[in-house]
Short mmCIF file of all heavy atoms in Angstrom, two decimals:
data_model
loop_
_atom_site.label_atom_id
_atom_site.label_comp_id
_atom_site.label_asym_id
_atom_site.label_seq_id
_atom_site.Cartn_x
_atom_site.Cartn_y
_atom_site.Cartn_z
N THR A 25 -2.48 -82.05 9.31
CA THR A 25 -3.25 -81.56 8.17
C THR A 25 -2.62 -80.27 7.66
O THR A 25 -1.89 -79.61 8.38
CB THR A 25 -4.71 -81.30 8.58
OG1 THR A 25 -5.40 -80.74 7.46
CG2 THR A 25 -4.79 -80.34 9.74
N ASP A 26 -2.96 -79.91 6.41
CA ASP A 26 -2.42 -78.67 5.87
C ASP A 26 -3.03 -77.45 6.54
O ASP A 26 -2.45 -76.37 6.51
CB ASP A 26 -2.68 -78.60 4.36
CG ASP A 26 -1.73 -79.49 3.58
OD1 ASP A 26 -0.64 -79.77 4.08
OD2 ASP A 26 -2.10 -79.90 2.46
N LEU A 27 -4.22 -77.59 7.13
CA LEU A 27 -4.89 -76.47 7.79
C LEU A 27 -4.62 -76.49 9.28
O LEU A 27 -4.70 -77.54 9.92
CB LEU A 27 -6.39 -76.52 7.54
CG LEU A 27 -6.85 -76.41 6.08
CD1 LEU A 27 -8.36 -76.46 6.00
CD2 LEU A 27 -6.31 -75.15 5.43
N ASP A 28 -4.29 -75.31 9.84
CA ASP A 28 -4.09 -75.23 11.28
C ASP A 28 -5.45 -75.07 11.97
O ASP A 28 -6.50 -75.05 11.34
CB ASP A 28 -3.13 -74.09 11.64
CG ASP A 28 -3.64 -72.72 11.20
OD1 ASP A 28 -4.87 -72.54 11.10
OD2 ASP A 28 -2.81 -71.82 10.96
N ARG A 29 -5.41 -74.95 13.29
CA ARG A 29 -6.65 -74.84 14.06
C ARG A 29 -6.99 -73.39 14.40
O ARG A 29 -7.97 -73.13 15.09
CB ARG A 29 -6.52 -75.66 15.35
CG ARG A 29 -6.33 -77.15 15.10
CD ARG A 29 -6.13 -77.89 16.42
NE ARG A 29 -5.87 -79.31 16.18
CZ ARG A 29 -6.82 -80.24 16.09
NH1 ARG A 29 -8.10 -79.87 16.24
NH2 ARG A 29 -6.52 -81.49 15.88
N GLY A 30 -6.20 -72.46 13.94
CA GLY A 30 -6.43 -71.06 14.24
C GLY A 30 -5.14 -70.28 14.16
O GLY A 30 -4.07 -70.85 13.88
N PRO A 31 -5.18 -68.97 14.39
CA PRO A 31 -4.02 -68.12 14.17
C PRO A 31 -2.90 -68.24 15.18
O PRO A 31 -1.78 -67.85 14.89
CB PRO A 31 -4.62 -66.70 14.19
CG PRO A 31 -5.82 -66.83 15.07
CD PRO A 31 -6.37 -68.20 14.78
N ARG A 32 -3.17 -68.74 16.37
CA ARG A 32 -2.13 -68.75 17.40
C ARG A 32 -1.20 -69.95 17.25
O ARG A 32 -1.65 -71.08 17.10
CB ARG A 32 -2.75 -68.75 18.80
CG ARG A 32 -3.54 -67.48 19.09
CD ARG A 32 -3.89 -67.37 20.56
NE ARG A 32 -4.60 -66.13 20.83
CZ ARG A 32 -4.01 -64.97 21.04
NH1 ARG A 32 -2.70 -64.90 21.01
NH2 ARG A 32 -4.72 -63.88 21.27
N ALA A 33 0.08 -69.67 17.27
CA ALA A 33 1.10 -70.72 17.22
C ALA A 33 2.09 -70.50 18.35
O ALA A 33 2.58 -69.40 18.54
CB ALA A 33 1.83 -70.71 15.87
N LYS A 34 2.35 -71.54 19.10
CA LYS A 34 3.28 -71.41 20.21
C LYS A 34 4.71 -71.23 19.69
O LYS A 34 5.04 -71.69 18.59
CB LYS A 34 3.22 -72.67 21.09
CG LYS A 34 1.87 -72.89 21.76
CD LYS A 34 1.90 -74.17 22.59
CE LYS A 34 0.55 -74.41 23.27
NZ LYS A 34 0.55 -75.67 24.05
N PRO A 35 5.58 -70.54 20.45
CA PRO A 35 6.99 -70.41 20.05
C PRO A 35 7.59 -71.78 19.78
O PRO A 35 7.39 -72.72 20.55
CB PRO A 35 7.63 -69.73 21.26
CG PRO A 35 6.51 -68.98 21.92
CD PRO A 35 5.29 -69.85 21.73
N GLY A 36 8.31 -71.90 18.69
CA GLY A 36 8.91 -73.19 18.34
C GLY A 36 8.00 -74.08 17.54
O GLY A 36 8.38 -75.20 17.18
N SER A 37 6.78 -73.61 17.23
CA SER A 37 5.84 -74.41 16.45
C SER A 37 6.34 -74.57 15.02
O SER A 37 7.13 -73.76 14.52
CB SER A 37 4.46 -73.76 16.43
OG SER A 37 3.87 -73.75 17.70
N ALA A 38 5.89 -75.62 14.39
CA ALA A 38 6.24 -75.86 13.00
C ALA A 38 4.99 -76.19 12.21
O ALA A 38 3.99 -76.64 12.76
CB ALA A 38 7.25 -77.00 12.90
N ARG A 39 5.04 -75.90 10.93
CA ARG A 39 3.94 -76.23 10.03
C ARG A 39 4.53 -76.77 8.73
O ARG A 39 5.72 -76.62 8.46
CB ARG A 39 3.09 -74.98 9.73
CG ARG A 39 2.37 -74.39 10.94
CD ARG A 39 1.25 -75.28 11.43
NE ARG A 39 0.49 -74.66 12.50
CZ ARG A 39 0.73 -74.83 13.80
NH1 ARG A 39 1.75 -75.59 14.18
NH2 ARG A 39 -0.02 -74.23 14.71
N THR A 40 3.67 -77.36 7.92
CA THR A 40 4.11 -77.91 6.65
C THR A 40 3.80 -76.94 5.52
O THR A 40 2.65 -76.49 5.38
CB THR A 40 3.41 -79.25 6.37
OG1 THR A 40 3.72 -80.18 7.41
CG2 THR A 40 3.85 -79.83 5.03
N CYS A 41 4.80 -76.61 4.74
CA CYS A 41 4.59 -75.78 3.55
C CYS A 41 3.79 -76.59 2.54
O CYS A 41 4.18 -77.73 2.20
CB CYS A 41 5.93 -75.36 2.96
SG CYS A 41 5.81 -74.59 1.32
N VAL A 42 2.68 -76.03 2.04
CA VAL A 42 1.84 -76.78 1.11
C VAL A 42 2.50 -76.99 -0.24
O VAL A 42 2.06 -77.83 -1.02
CB VAL A 42 0.47 -76.09 0.92
CG1 VAL A 42 -0.32 -76.05 2.21
CG2 VAL A 42 0.62 -74.70 0.31
N VAL A 43 3.58 -76.24 -0.52
CA VAL A 43 4.27 -76.39 -1.80
C VAL A 43 5.40 -77.41 -1.70
O VAL A 43 5.43 -78.40 -2.43
CB VAL A 43 4.82 -75.04 -2.29
CG1 VAL A 43 5.51 -75.20 -3.64
CG2 VAL A 43 3.71 -74.00 -2.40
N SER A 44 6.33 -77.17 -0.80
CA SER A 44 7.50 -78.04 -0.68
C SER A 44 7.23 -79.29 0.12
O SER A 44 8.00 -80.26 0.04
CB SER A 44 8.65 -77.27 -0.03
OG SER A 44 8.37 -77.03 1.35
N ARG A 45 6.17 -79.28 0.94
CA ARG A 45 5.82 -80.37 1.85
C ARG A 45 6.85 -80.54 2.95
O ARG A 45 6.91 -81.58 3.60
CB ARG A 45 5.65 -81.71 1.10
CG ARG A 45 4.71 -81.67 -0.07
CD ARG A 45 3.35 -81.12 0.29
NE ARG A 45 2.76 -81.78 1.46
CZ ARG A 45 1.67 -81.34 2.10
NH1 ARG A 45 1.09 -80.22 1.71
NH2 ARG A 45 1.20 -82.01 3.11
N GLN A 46 7.67 -79.53 3.17
CA GLN A 46 8.67 -79.59 4.23
C GLN A 46 8.15 -78.91 5.49
O GLN A 46 7.50 -77.86 5.43
CB GLN A 46 9.97 -78.91 3.81
CG GLN A 46 11.07 -79.06 4.85
CD GLN A 46 12.40 -78.53 4.37
OE1 GLN A 46 12.45 -77.88 3.33
NE2 GLN A 46 13.45 -78.77 5.11
N VAL A 47 8.44 -79.52 6.62
CA VAL A 47 8.07 -78.93 7.92
C VAL A 47 9.10 -77.87 8.28
O VAL A 47 10.31 -78.14 8.28
CB VAL A 47 8.01 -80.02 9.01
CG1 VAL A 47 7.72 -79.38 10.37
CG2 VAL A 47 6.95 -81.06 8.68
N LYS A 48 8.61 -76.67 8.58
CA LYS A 48 9.49 -75.54 8.92
C LYS A 48 8.93 -74.80 10.12
O LYS A 48 7.74 -74.90 10.43
CB LYS A 48 9.61 -74.57 7.74
CG LYS A 48 10.26 -75.13 6.49
CD LYS A 48 10.41 -74.05 5.43
CE LYS A 48 11.11 -74.56 4.19
NZ LYS A 48 11.34 -73.49 3.21
N GLY A 49 9.81 -74.05 10.78
CA GLY A 49 9.35 -73.18 11.85
C GLY A 49 8.43 -72.10 11.28
O GLY A 49 8.57 -71.68 10.13
N THR A 50 7.47 -71.65 12.08
CA THR A 50 6.50 -70.68 11.57
C THR A 50 7.14 -69.35 11.19
O THR A 50 6.55 -68.59 10.41
CB THR A 50 5.39 -70.44 12.61
OG1 THR A 50 5.98 -70.08 13.88
CG2 THR A 50 4.53 -71.69 12.78
N ASP A 51 8.35 -69.06 11.69
CA ASP A 51 9.01 -67.83 11.28
C ASP A 51 9.58 -67.93 9.88
O ASP A 51 10.06 -66.94 9.32
CB ASP A 51 10.11 -67.43 12.28
CG ASP A 51 11.21 -68.47 12.39
OD1 ASP A 51 11.02 -69.61 11.92
OD2 ASP A 51 12.28 -68.15 12.96
N GLU A 52 9.51 -69.11 9.27
CA GLU A 52 9.97 -69.31 7.90
C GLU A 52 8.81 -69.45 6.92
O GLU A 52 9.02 -69.76 5.75
CB GLU A 52 10.82 -70.57 7.81
CG GLU A 52 12.09 -70.55 8.65
CD GLU A 52 12.85 -71.86 8.52
OE1 GLU A 52 13.46 -72.07 7.45
OE2 GLU A 52 12.80 -72.66 9.45
N LEU A 53 7.61 -69.21 7.41
CA LEU A 53 6.41 -69.43 6.61
C LEU A 53 5.48 -68.23 6.69
O LEU A 53 5.63 -67.38 7.57
CB LEU A 53 5.66 -70.67 7.13
CG LEU A 53 6.43 -72.00 7.13
CD1 LEU A 53 5.80 -72.97 8.13
CD2 LEU A 53 6.42 -72.61 5.74
N ILE A 54 4.53 -68.18 5.78
CA ILE A 54 3.50 -67.15 5.83
C ILE A 54 2.14 -67.85 5.81
O ILE A 54 1.95 -68.84 5.11
CB ILE A 54 3.62 -66.14 4.67
CG1 ILE A 54 2.60 -65.02 4.84
CG2 ILE A 54 3.49 -66.81 3.32
CD1 ILE A 54 2.91 -63.79 4.00
N ARG A 55 1.23 -67.33 6.61
CA ARG A 55 -0.08 -67.95 6.79
C ARG A 55 -1.11 -67.31 5.86
O ARG A 55 -1.10 -66.10 5.64
CB ARG A 55 -0.52 -67.79 8.25
CG ARG A 55 -1.81 -68.48 8.63
CD ARG A 55 -2.05 -68.36 10.13
NE ARG A 55 -3.21 -69.14 10.54
CZ ARG A 55 -4.44 -68.63 10.73
NH1 ARG A 55 -4.64 -67.33 10.55
NH2 ARG A 55 -5.45 -69.40 11.10
N PHE A 56 -2.01 -68.14 5.34
CA PHE A 56 -3.10 -67.67 4.49
C PHE A 56 -4.43 -68.20 5.02
O PHE A 56 -4.50 -69.34 5.48
CB PHE A 56 -2.92 -68.14 3.04
CG PHE A 56 -1.76 -67.50 2.34
CD1 PHE A 56 -0.49 -68.03 2.46
CD2 PHE A 56 -1.93 -66.37 1.56
CE1 PHE A 56 0.60 -67.44 1.82
CE2 PHE A 56 -0.86 -65.77 0.90
CZ PHE A 56 0.41 -66.31 1.04
N VAL A 57 -5.46 -67.36 4.97
CA VAL A 57 -6.79 -67.77 5.40
C VAL A 57 -7.78 -67.42 4.29
O VAL A 57 -7.43 -66.77 3.30
CB VAL A 57 -7.20 -67.06 6.71
CG1 VAL A 57 -6.25 -67.42 7.84
CG2 VAL A 57 -7.27 -65.54 6.52
N LEU A 58 -9.02 -67.82 4.48
CA LEU A 58 -10.09 -67.46 3.56
C LEU A 58 -10.96 -66.39 4.19
O LEU A 58 -11.32 -66.48 5.37
CB LEU A 58 -10.95 -68.68 3.22
CG LEU A 58 -10.37 -69.74 2.29
CD1 LEU A 58 -11.43 -70.79 2.00
CD2 LEU A 58 -9.84 -69.14 1.00
#
Side-chain angles (χ1 to χ4, degrees):
T25 176
D26 283 335
L27 298 181
D28 61 27
R29 297 177 183 272
R32 296 192 178 276
K34 296 179 181 179
S37 294
R39 296 290 186 267
T40 300
C41 169
V42 296
V43 181
S44 70
R45 307 307 309 169
Q46 185 174 10
V47 176
K48 296 184 177 184
T50 53
D51 61 346
E52 299 178 74
L53 301 158
I54 185 163
R55 185 174 186 262
F56 292 86
V57 299
L58 287 185

